[in-house]
PDB file of all heavy atoms in Angstrom:
ATOM      1  N   LEU Z   1     -11.646 -10.398  -8.446  1.00 84.00           N
ATOM      2  CA  LEU Z   1     -11.851  -9.384  -7.334  1.00 84.00           C
ATOM      3  C   LEU Z   1     -11.182  -9.853  -5.983  1.00 84.00           C
ATOM      4  O   LEU Z   1     -10.705  -9.028  -5.197  1.00 84.00           O
ATOM      5  CB  LEU Z   1     -13.292  -9.129  -7.106  1.00 84.00           C
ATOM      6  CG  LEU Z   1     -14.041  -8.479  -8.268  1.00 84.00           C
ATOM      7  CD1 LEU Z   1     -15.527  -8.168  -7.878  1.00 84.00           C
ATOM      8  CD2 LEU Z   1     -13.309  -7.144  -8.619  1.00 84.00           C
ATOM      9  N   ARG Z   2     -11.171 -11.175  -5.718  1.00 85.00           N
ATOM     10  CA  ARG Z   2     -10.704 -11.726  -4.567  1.00 85.00           C
ATOM     11  C   ARG Z   2      -9.121 -11.504  -4.449  1.00 85.00           C
ATOM     12  O   ARG Z   2      -8.589 -11.017  -3.378  1.00 85.00           O
ATOM     13  CB  ARG Z   2     -10.953 -13.218  -4.418  1.00 85.00           C
ATOM     14  CG  ARG Z   2     -10.403 -13.934  -3.186  1.00 85.00           C
ATOM     15  CD  ARG Z   2     -10.896 -15.279  -3.053  1.00 85.00           C
ATOM     16  NE  ARG Z   2     -12.373 -15.296  -2.787  1.00 85.00           N
ATOM     17  CZ  ARG Z   2     -13.080 -16.462  -2.619  1.00 85.00           C
ATOM     18  NH1 ARG Z   2     -12.545 -17.560  -2.926  1.00 85.00           N
ATOM     19  NH2 ARG Z   2     -14.315 -16.474  -2.334  1.00 85.00           N
ATOM     20  N   VAL Z   3      -8.443 -11.759  -5.578  1.00 86.00           N
ATOM     21  CA  VAL Z   3      -6.981 -11.584  -5.575  1.00 86.00           C
ATOM     22  C   VAL Z   3      -6.616 -10.099  -5.539  1.00 86.00           C
ATOM     23  O   VAL Z   3      -5.745  -9.745  -4.808  1.00 86.00           O
ATOM     24  CB  VAL Z   3      -6.404 -12.280  -6.865  1.00 86.00           C
ATOM     25  CG1 VAL Z   3      -4.924 -11.881  -7.029  1.00 86.00           C
ATOM     26  CG2 VAL Z   3      -6.587 -13.734  -6.826  1.00 86.00           C
ATOM     27  N   SER Z   4      -7.348  -9.296  -6.280  1.00 87.00           N
ATOM     28  CA  SER Z   4      -7.027  -7.871  -6.304  1.00 87.00           C
ATOM     29  C   SER Z   4      -7.329  -7.179  -5.063  1.00 87.00           C
ATOM     30  O   SER Z   4      -6.625  -6.208  -4.689  1.00 87.00           O
ATOM     31  CB  SER Z   4      -7.806  -7.210  -7.485  1.00 87.00           C
ATOM     32  OG  SER Z   4      -9.135  -7.277  -7.328  1.00 87.00           O
ATOM     33  N   SER Z   5      -8.230  -7.777  -4.272  1.00 87.00           N
ATOM     34  CA  SER Z   5      -8.473  -7.139  -2.957  1.00 87.00           C
ATOM     35  C   SER Z   5      -7.240  -7.151  -1.989  1.00 87.00           C
ATOM     36  O   SER Z   5      -6.953  -6.177  -1.242  1.00 87.00           O
ATOM     37  CB  SER Z   5      -9.700  -7.815  -2.228  1.00 87.00           C
ATOM     38  OG  SER Z   5     -10.913  -7.589  -2.995  1.00 87.00           O
ATOM     39  N   LEU Z   6      -6.593  -8.299  -2.117  1.00 87.00           N
ATOM     40  CA  LEU Z   6      -5.312  -8.375  -1.299  1.00 87.00           C
ATOM     41  C   LEU Z   6      -4.205  -7.374  -1.697  1.00 87.00           C
ATOM     42  O   LEU Z   6      -3.560  -6.811  -0.818  1.00 87.00           O
ATOM     43  CB  LEU Z   6      -4.789  -9.855  -1.452  1.00 87.00           C
ATOM     44  CG  LEU Z   6      -5.642 -10.937  -0.956  1.00 87.00           C
ATOM     45  CD1 LEU Z   6      -5.012 -12.287  -1.214  1.00 87.00           C
ATOM     46  CD2 LEU Z   6      -5.934 -10.785   0.551  1.00 87.00           C
ATOM     47  N   LEU Z   7      -4.190  -7.079  -3.013  1.00 88.00           N
ATOM     48  CA  LEU Z   7      -3.217  -6.075  -3.446  1.00 88.00           C
ATOM     49  C   LEU Z   7      -3.535  -4.734  -2.915  1.00 88.00           C
ATOM     50  O   LEU Z   7      -2.667  -3.911  -2.544  1.00 88.00           O
ATOM     51  CB  LEU Z   7      -3.195  -6.009  -5.070  1.00 88.00           C
ATOM     52  CG  LEU Z   7      -2.450  -7.149  -5.811  1.00 88.00           C
ATOM     53  CD1 LEU Z   7      -2.635  -6.971  -7.258  1.00 88.00           C
ATOM     54  CD2 LEU Z   7      -0.931  -7.065  -5.380  1.00 88.00           C
ATOM     55  N   CYS Z   8      -4.834  -4.397  -2.932  1.00 91.00           N
ATOM     56  CA  CYS Z   8      -5.279  -3.105  -2.383  1.00 91.00           C
ATOM     57  C   CYS Z   8      -4.935  -2.943  -0.946  1.00 91.00           C
ATOM     58  O   CYS Z   8      -4.318  -1.873  -0.526  1.00 91.00           O
ATOM     59  CB  CYS Z   8      -6.771  -2.931  -2.582  1.00 91.00           C
ATOM     60  SG  CYS Z   8      -7.451  -1.383  -1.882  1.00 91.00           S
ATOM     61  N   VAL Z   9      -5.139  -3.876  -0.134  1.00 89.00           N
ATOM     62  CA  VAL Z   9      -4.841  -3.886   1.273  1.00 89.00           C
ATOM     63  C   VAL Z   9      -3.316  -3.656   1.461  1.00 89.00           C
ATOM     64  O   VAL Z   9      -2.887  -2.821   2.262  1.00 89.00           O
ATOM     65  CB  VAL Z   9      -5.256  -5.066   2.013  1.00 89.00           C
ATOM     66  CG1 VAL Z   9      -4.779  -5.189   3.460  1.00 89.00           C
ATOM     67  CG2 VAL Z   9      -6.874  -5.139   2.004  1.00 89.00           C
ATOM     68  N   ALA Z  10      -2.588  -4.453   0.698  1.00 90.00           N
ATOM     69  CA  ALA Z  10      -1.084  -4.332   0.874  1.00 90.00           C
ATOM     70  C   ALA Z  10      -0.618  -2.956   0.490  1.00 90.00           C
ATOM     71  O   ALA Z  10       0.307  -2.382   1.144  1.00 90.00           O
ATOM     72  CB  ALA Z  10      -0.464  -5.458  -0.032  1.00 90.00           C
ATOM     73  N   GLY Z  11      -1.115  -2.365  -0.528  1.00 91.00           N
ATOM     74  CA  GLY Z  11      -0.730  -1.108  -1.016  1.00 91.00           C
ATOM     75  C   GLY Z  11      -0.932   0.022  -0.051  1.00 91.00           C
ATOM     76  O   GLY Z  11      -0.100   0.882   0.299  1.00 91.00           O
ATOM     77  N   VAL Z  12      -2.175  -0.023   0.501  1.00 89.00           N
ATOM     78  CA  VAL Z  12      -2.535   1.038   1.487  1.00 89.00           C
ATOM     79  C   VAL Z  12      -1.716   0.993   2.724  1.00 89.00           C
ATOM     80  O   VAL Z  12      -1.273   1.922   3.312  1.00 89.00           O
ATOM     81  CB  VAL Z  12      -4.052   1.079   1.747  1.00 89.00           C
ATOM     82  CG1 VAL Z  12      -4.355   2.102   2.861  1.00 89.00           C
ATOM     83  CG2 VAL Z  12      -4.883   1.371   0.511  1.00 89.00           C
ATOM     84  N   LEU Z  13      -1.507  -0.286   3.181  1.00 90.00           N
ATOM     85  CA  LEU Z  13      -0.686  -0.502   4.406  1.00 90.00           C
ATOM     86  C   LEU Z  13       0.757   0.005   4.114  1.00 90.00           C
ATOM     87  O   LEU Z  13       1.389   0.564   5.037  1.00 90.00           O
ATOM     88  CB  LEU Z  13      -0.676  -1.979   4.855  1.00 90.00           C
ATOM     89  CG  LEU Z  13      -2.021  -2.461   5.341  1.00 90.00           C
ATOM     90  CD1 LEU Z  13      -1.843  -3.938   5.699  1.00 90.00           C
ATOM     91  CD2 LEU Z  13      -2.379  -1.682   6.613  1.00 90.00           C
ATOM     92  N   LEU Z  14       1.365  -0.171   2.966  1.00 91.00           N
ATOM     93  CA  LEU Z  14       2.601   0.334   2.666  1.00 91.00           C
ATOM     94  C   LEU Z  14       2.733   1.804   2.695  1.00 91.00           C
ATOM     95  O   LEU Z  14       3.692   2.444   3.352  1.00 91.00           O
ATOM     96  CB  LEU Z  14       2.981  -0.177   1.202  1.00 91.00           C
ATOM     97  CG  LEU Z  14       4.348   0.414   0.643  1.00 91.00           C
ATOM     98  CD1 LEU Z  14       5.541  -0.094   1.561  1.00 91.00           C
ATOM     99  CD2 LEU Z  14       4.550  -0.027  -0.766  1.00 91.00           C
ATOM    100  N   ALA Z  15       1.683   2.546   2.164  1.00 89.00           N
ATOM    101  CA  ALA Z  15       1.696   3.949   2.283  1.00 89.00           C
ATOM    102  C   ALA Z  15       1.444   4.477   3.577  1.00 89.00           C
ATOM    103  O   ALA Z  15       2.067   5.490   4.010  1.00 89.00           O
ATOM    104  CB  ALA Z  15       0.526   4.474   1.339  1.00 89.00           C
ATOM    105  N   LEU Z  16       0.750   3.774   4.459  1.00 89.00           N
ATOM    106  CA  LEU Z  16       0.463   4.204   5.827  1.00 89.00           C
ATOM    107  C   LEU Z  16       1.650   3.999   6.765  1.00 89.00           C
ATOM    108  O   LEU Z  16       1.895   4.813   7.618  1.00 89.00           O
ATOM    109  CB  LEU Z  16      -0.723   3.451   6.449  1.00 89.00           C
ATOM    110  CG  LEU Z  16      -2.061   3.754   5.804  1.00 89.00           C
ATOM    111  CD1 LEU Z  16      -3.150   2.942   6.452  1.00 89.00           C
ATOM    112  CD2 LEU Z  16      -2.412   5.277   5.868  1.00 89.00           C
ATOM    113  N   PHE Z  17       2.462   2.882   6.526  1.00 90.00           N
ATOM    114  CA  PHE Z  17       3.508   2.612   7.585  1.00 90.00           C
ATOM    115  C   PHE Z  17       4.904   3.054   7.024  1.00 90.00           C
ATOM    116  O   PHE Z  17       5.795   3.023   7.844  1.00 90.00           O
ATOM    117  CB  PHE Z  17       3.481   1.111   7.821  1.00 90.00           C
ATOM    118  CG  PHE Z  17       2.363   0.664   8.670  1.00 90.00           C
ATOM    119  CD1 PHE Z  17       1.268   0.000   8.139  1.00 90.00           C
ATOM    120  CD2 PHE Z  17       2.442   0.860  10.060  1.00 90.00           C
ATOM    121  CE1 PHE Z  17       0.181  -0.452   8.936  1.00 90.00           C
ATOM    122  CE2 PHE Z  17       1.323   0.575  10.866  1.00 90.00           C
ATOM    123  CZ  PHE Z  17       0.207  -0.139  10.291  1.00 90.00           C
ATOM    124  N   TRP Z  18       5.079   3.420   5.768  1.00 88.00           N
ATOM    125  CA  TRP Z  18       6.386   3.911   5.250  1.00 88.00           C
ATOM    126  C   TRP Z  18       6.047   5.284   4.717  1.00 88.00           C
ATOM    127  O   TRP Z  18       5.839   5.483   3.463  1.00 88.00           O
ATOM    128  CB  TRP Z  18       6.925   2.891   4.264  1.00 88.00           C
ATOM    129  CG  TRP Z  18       8.347   3.128   3.909  1.00 88.00           C
ATOM    130  CD1 TRP Z  18       9.190   4.128   4.381  1.00 88.00           C
ATOM    131  CD2 TRP Z  18       9.201   2.365   3.135  1.00 88.00           C
ATOM    132  NE1 TRP Z  18      10.424   4.108   3.888  1.00 88.00           N
ATOM    133  CE2 TRP Z  18      10.477   2.915   3.099  1.00 88.00           C
ATOM    134  CE3 TRP Z  18       8.924   1.204   2.385  1.00 88.00           C
ATOM    135  CZ2 TRP Z  18      11.578   2.412   2.372  1.00 88.00           C
ATOM    136  CZ3 TRP Z  18      10.034   0.624   1.706  1.00 88.00           C
ATOM    137  CH2 TRP Z  18      11.335   1.288   1.699  1.00 88.00           C
ATOM    138  N   ARG Z  19       6.266   6.263   5.540  1.00 85.00           N
ATOM    139  CA  ARG Z  19       5.790   7.641   5.157  1.00 85.00           C
ATOM    140  C   ARG Z  19       6.910   8.412   4.497  1.00 85.00           C
ATOM    141  O   ARG Z  19       7.314   9.471   4.965  1.00 85.00           O
ATOM    142  CB  ARG Z  19       5.230   8.342   6.401  1.00 85.00           C
ATOM    143  CG  ARG Z  19       4.034   7.672   6.932  1.00 85.00           C
ATOM    144  CD  ARG Z  19       3.507   8.265   8.241  1.00 85.00           C
ATOM    145  NE  ARG Z  19       2.355   7.563   8.774  1.00 85.00           N
ATOM    146  CZ  ARG Z  19       1.747   7.901   9.896  1.00 85.00           C
ATOM    147  NH1 ARG Z  19       2.148   8.962  10.597  1.00 85.00           N
ATOM    148  NH2 ARG Z  19       0.824   7.103  10.374  1.00 85.00           N
ATOM    149  N   GLU Z  20       7.403   7.876   3.434  1.00 87.00           N
ATOM    150  CA  GLU Z  20       8.278   8.562   2.490  1.00 87.00           C
ATOM    151  C   GLU Z  20       7.643   8.757   1.178  1.00 87.00           C
ATOM    152  O   GLU Z  20       6.770   7.904   0.820  1.00 87.00           O
ATOM    153  CB  GLU Z  20       9.595   7.735   2.324  1.00 87.00           C
ATOM    154  CG  GLU Z  20      10.507   7.555   3.635  1.00 87.00           C
ATOM    155  CD  GLU Z  20      11.055   8.821   4.044  1.00 87.00           C
ATOM    156  OE1 GLU Z  20      11.343   9.746   3.154  1.00 87.00           O
ATOM    157  OE2 GLU Z  20      11.264   9.040   5.269  1.00 87.00           O
ATOM    158  N   PRO Z  21       7.900   9.834   0.495  1.00 88.00           N
ATOM    159  CA  PRO Z  21       7.140  10.105  -0.739  1.00 88.00           C
ATOM    160  C   PRO Z  21       7.094   9.003  -1.686  1.00 88.00           C
ATOM    161  O   PRO Z  21       6.050   8.550  -2.232  1.00 88.00           O
ATOM    162  CB  PRO Z  21       7.840  11.361  -1.298  1.00 88.00           C
ATOM    163  CG  PRO Z  21       8.357  12.050  -0.123  1.00 88.00           C
ATOM    164  CD  PRO Z  21       8.770  10.972   0.865  1.00 88.00           C
ATOM    165  N   LEU Z  22       8.362   8.383  -1.990  1.00 90.00           N
ATOM    166  CA  LEU Z  22       8.407   7.238  -2.986  1.00 90.00           C
ATOM    167  C   LEU Z  22       7.615   6.049  -2.528  1.00 90.00           C
ATOM    168  O   LEU Z  22       6.916   5.395  -3.315  1.00 90.00           O
ATOM    169  CB  LEU Z  22       9.880   6.941  -3.219  1.00 90.00           C
ATOM    170  CG  LEU Z  22      10.110   5.868  -4.312  1.00 90.00           C
ATOM    171  CD1 LEU Z  22       9.527   6.234  -5.654  1.00 90.00           C
ATOM    172  CD2 LEU Z  22      11.617   5.592  -4.435  1.00 90.00           C
ATOM    173  N   ALA Z  23       7.807   5.670  -1.287  1.00 90.00           N
ATOM    174  CA  ALA Z  23       7.070   4.486  -0.695  1.00 90.00           C
ATOM    175  C   ALA Z  23       5.602   4.721  -0.784  1.00 90.00           C
ATOM    176  O   ALA Z  23       4.790   3.769  -1.149  1.00 90.00           O
ATOM    177  CB  ALA Z  23       7.530   4.262   0.748  1.00 90.00           C
ATOM    178  N   ALA Z  24       5.158   5.914  -0.373  1.00 90.00           N
ATOM    179  CA  ALA Z  24       3.691   6.165  -0.436  1.00 90.00           C
ATOM    180  C   ALA Z  24       3.147   6.134  -1.821  1.00 90.00           C
ATOM    181  O   ALA Z  24       2.102   5.578  -2.122  1.00 90.00           O
ATOM    182  CB  ALA Z  24       3.444   7.564   0.197  1.00 90.00           C
ATOM    183  N   VAL Z  25       3.896   6.632  -2.802  1.00 91.00           N
ATOM    184  CA  VAL Z  25       3.549   6.602  -4.216  1.00 91.00           C
ATOM    185  C   VAL Z  25       3.358   5.093  -4.717  1.00 91.00           C
ATOM    186  O   VAL Z  25       2.419   4.817  -5.353  1.00 91.00           O
ATOM    187  CB  VAL Z  25       4.583   7.331  -5.097  1.00 91.00           C
ATOM    188  CG1 VAL Z  25       4.334   7.059  -6.595  1.00 91.00           C
ATOM    189  CG2 VAL Z  25       4.458   8.804  -4.852  1.00 91.00           C
ATOM    190  N   VAL Z  26       4.278   4.211  -4.353  1.00 92.00           N
ATOM    191  CA  VAL Z  26       4.287   2.855  -4.711  1.00 92.00           C
ATOM    192  C   VAL Z  26       3.016   2.186  -4.010  1.00 92.00           C
ATOM    193  O   VAL Z  26       2.389   1.439  -4.680  1.00 92.00           O
ATOM    194  CB  VAL Z  26       5.536   2.123  -4.305  1.00 92.00           C
ATOM    195  CG1 VAL Z  26       5.436   0.656  -4.485  1.00 92.00           C
ATOM    196  CG2 VAL Z  26       6.750   2.639  -5.084  1.00 92.00           C
ATOM    197  N   GLY Z  27       2.816   2.551  -2.810  1.00 92.00           N
ATOM    198  CA  GLY Z  27       1.673   1.971  -2.068  1.00 92.00           C
ATOM    199  C   GLY Z  27       0.328   2.383  -2.796  1.00 92.00           C
ATOM    200  O   GLY Z  27      -0.492   1.538  -3.008  1.00 92.00           O
ATOM    201  N   PHE Z  28       0.251   3.599  -3.170  1.00 92.00           N
ATOM    202  CA  PHE Z  28      -1.058   4.057  -3.780  1.00 92.00           C
ATOM    203  C   PHE Z  28      -1.158   3.440  -5.225  1.00 92.00           C
ATOM    204  O   PHE Z  28      -2.339   3.148  -5.651  1.00 92.00           O
ATOM    205  CB  PHE Z  28      -1.035   5.567  -3.900  1.00 92.00           C
ATOM    206  CG  PHE Z  28      -1.301   6.220  -2.527  1.00 92.00           C
ATOM    207  CD1 PHE Z  28      -0.497   7.295  -2.110  1.00 92.00           C
ATOM    208  CD2 PHE Z  28      -2.265   5.798  -1.677  1.00 92.00           C
ATOM    209  CE1 PHE Z  28      -0.693   7.943  -0.864  1.00 92.00           C
ATOM    210  CE2 PHE Z  28      -2.534   6.472  -0.479  1.00 92.00           C
ATOM    211  CZ  PHE Z  28      -1.724   7.451  -0.064  1.00 92.00           C
TER     212      PHE Z  28
END
């Protein structure tokens, strides 16, 4: 859970700061 929490944060930040459909899909 500790390691996977970091992945979750990274993914949501990617979707929030790179607002292109493909980037958002990768982030989610």
Side-chain angles (χ1 to χ4, degrees):
L1 294 185
R2 180 172 290 176
V3 172
S4 60
S5 296
L6 297 176
L7 281 176
C8 177
V9 171
V12 175
L13 290 178
L14 174 62
L16 293 180
F17 287 103
W18 195 353
R19 297 178 185 177
E20 294 292 332
L22 182 59
V25 166
V26 172
F28 288 132

